[in-house]
Amino acid sequence: MRRCDELGAISDERGRLTRTFASPAMRRANKLVGAWMREAGLQVREDAAFNLLGRWNSAQPGAKTFLLGSHLDTVRDAGKFDGPLGVLTAIAAVKTLRERGVKLPFNLEIVGFSDEEGVHYQTAYLGSRAFAGTLTAADLARIKEKQIVKTKRNRNEFLGYAEVHIEQGPVLEKNNLPVGVVTAIAGQSRLRMEFHGIAGHAGTVPMNLRHDALAGAAELVLAAENCGVTATVGKLEVESGASNVIPGRVSLTLDVRDQKDARRHAAIKALQTKAQTIAKRRGLKLIWQLVQQTAGVHCDKTLTQIFSKSIAQCGLEVMKLPSGAGHDAAALSAICPVAMLFIRCKGGISHNPAESVKAGDVRVAIEVLADFVQTLAKENS
Ligand SMILES: [Zn+2]
């Protein structure tokens, strides 16, 4: 918890926590967490995508690698647990295992991914997708740091990936449980669109002769709210943005999620048709662009079972729940089996400085994660 506080003070902005891909604060955060990794006996390095890696090498020759981790970047004005908690609990679990004198039949590598939230380039999982080797040409065209493709790791190296994360929702709290096992991660699409109208004088252009880009965009925002799946317009940019000018151009973002990929795709198709209809009726030009898409991911049955056993071992009821938020585990699922453990958070609040977890719950998560790795070691030796 003290480390969460210390890390939460490293920010690109004064007075609030914002730490984005490749920023000065991100570099400082990697330095600090790297020191904690070293203290836990790990070999530390940073890869070409600024992911922080801490490795415990197995004594067995030719051993494969099991991954633990989460992300060290944040949203704007973030809480201090979303991401860092997964890296710091992994470091604490390693310390516990070392104190117990556990020998591992596989290498254990903790990763602090450099970009999960996608604040810098509006494209999520840059760090973990660089690691998994699944960046697309479109991703690379958007970003300055072309060297990040060199990060790609050999998928044959890995046994699996496990991530501890705050729930970011109210379900565990409602059920009075400190931790829960994740069954699946919802698929998501991020889109960007523009309505182009005609800017004009707010006093002289009659209402029936206007091509108001913002009024068109507003119709689409309301349509998104009622599209039947989880959809959010989080950013709206209005040009020229003056009180006495009819908006000539508006750009907006759209985030769509659902456990079922087919239902998500259908909702997006319906929204696109709606946007075309709005644009036609109002005499606007529409630009519709899919920025990024991630399919829904099922967590690995075997790894999830081990998590369940470890929770039961701690004398707790095992609760299984899906994740509406995306996680690095979704990106890692392209190269190995994945599993996730959620920690209860206060009021389900996240992406907010009010984000809060209990020290006791974090202790349980560390114990469960240590037991998980130990059981995995037994089953693989
Ligand atoms: Zn996160």
Side-chain angles (χ1 to χ4, degrees):
M1 295 301 275
R2 184 179 46 75
R3 285 178 172 181
C4 284
D5 286 339
E6 219 174 307
L7 192 53
I10 299 180
S11 172
D12 290 310
E13 291 187 287
R14 201 179 282 273
R16 59 181 193 170
L17 173 55
T18 304
R19 204 165 52 230
T20 63
F21 178 69
S23 73
M26 169 62 71
R27 311 312 298 276
R28 294 209 304 280
N30 276 3
K31 243 184 157 169
L32 180 64
V33 178
W36 292 333
M37 283 177 166
R38 254 177 230 109
E39 196 190 304
L42 300 171
Q43 287 176 15
V44 181
R45 71 181 178 96
E46 205 178 63
D47 69 15
F50 310 106
N51 296 316
L52 181 68
L53 310 164
R55 196 171 163 95
W56 174 358
N57 281 312
S58 168
Q60 277 188 25
K64 290 198 173 194
T65 302
F66 195 86
L67 298 162
L68 301 177
S70 194
H71 58 100
L72 292 174
D73 71 319
T74 73
V75 292
R76 273 200 190 104
D77 200 12
K80 59 194 173 197
F81 301 105
D82 171 7
L85 201 52
V87 181
L88 300 180
T89 50
I91 295 172
V94 161
K95 190 167 176 278
T96 304
L97 292 168
R98 289 210 178 249
E99 281 166 4
R100 287 180 193 161
V102 172
K103 300 267 181 284
L104 296 180
F106 44 77
N107 311 305
L108 193 67
E109 194 161 322
I110 301 180
V111 195
F113 290 107
S114 58
D115 178 273
E116 191 273 345
E117 304 287 4
V119 171
H120 193 94
Y121 290 109
Q122 284 89 52
T123 165
Y125 313 127
L126 276 187
S128 40
R129 287 190 301 134
F131 189 96
T134 55
L135 290 173
T136 63
D139 293 320
L140 288 170
R142 291 170 76 89
I143 64 171
K144 215 170 56 202
E145 298 81 359
K146 308 289 182 200
Q147 84 282 357
I148 79 170
V149 287
K150 289 191 208 145
T151 296
K152 181 183 175 179
R153 297 279 291 266
N154 179 1
R155 62 167 66 206
N156 298 325
E157 192 188 338
F158 302 116
L159 289 168
Y161 170 76
E163 179 169 358
V164 174
H165 203 283
I166 61 164
E167 184 200 339
Q168 305 181 282
V171 179
L172 289 172
E173 189 178 62
K174 198 160 174 262
N175 287 276
N176 202 23
L177 289 169
V179 294
V181 198
V182 178
T183 51
I185 300 167
Q188 60 176 282
S189 305
R190 291 193 189 190
L191 299 99
R192 190 184 166 278
M193 52 215 69
E194 288 179 22
F195 284 102
H196 293 216
I198 299 174
H201 194 294
T204 60
V205 183
M207 296 308 286
N208 64 340
L209 296 179
R210 293 185 177 196
H211 302 282
D212 184 329
L214 179 56
E219 276 196 62
L220 186 64
V221 173
L222 294 178
E225 194 183 25
N226 291 301
C227 73
V229 300
T230 308
T232 307
V233 174
K235 190 174 173 186
L236 206 60
E237 278 174 340
V238 182
E239 289 177 39
S240 59
S243 62
N244 60 350
V245 180
I246 301 162
R249 188 152 106 167
V250 171
S251 64
L252 55 160
T253 60
L254 176 66
D255 176 307
V256 185
R257 306 182 191 212
D258 199 84
Q259 308 291 333
K260 293 208 168 113
D261 288 343
R263 201 158 57 191
R264 174 170 48 92
H265 291 310
I268 291 168
K269 191 88 205 85
L271 280 175
Q272 186 176 12
T273 306
K274 176 79 181 171
Q276 284 161 345
T277 309
I278 295 166
K280 199 170 172 205
R281 174 164 36 81
R282 291 178 171 274
L284 307 171
K285 189 181 143 201
L286 170 72
I287 294 172
W288 184 275
Q289 190 189 10
L290 181 64
V291 176
Q292 191 177 335
Q293 192 146 248
T294 328
V297 166
H298 289 280
C299 290
D300 180 69
K301 282 213 172 73
T302 309
L303 295 179
T304 301
Q305 255 167 26
I306 299 177
F307 259 140
S308 298
K309 263 194 252 168
S310 299
I311 293 170
Q313 192 81 21
C314 290
L316 292 161
E317 184 193 323
V318 179
M319 164 133 212
K320 294 184 177 174
L321 69 171
S323 172
H327 295 288
D328 293 297
L332 267 292
S333 72
I335 56 166
C336 63
V338 300
M340 287 193 77
L341 182 78
F342 271 170
I343 301 180
R344 160 171 62 185
C345 64
K346 192 178 171 188
I349 293 168
S350 181
H351 285 192
N352 185 320
E355 208 171 77
S356 173
V357 297
K358 289 182 186 163
D361 292 359
V362 176
R363 187 178 301 121
V364 170
I366 293 166
E367 183 53 42
V368 168
L369 187 61
D371 192 83
F372 170 88
V373 175
Q374 220 171 331
T375 306
L376 205 61
K378 264 182 231 148
E379 292 189 0
N380 277 276
S381 56

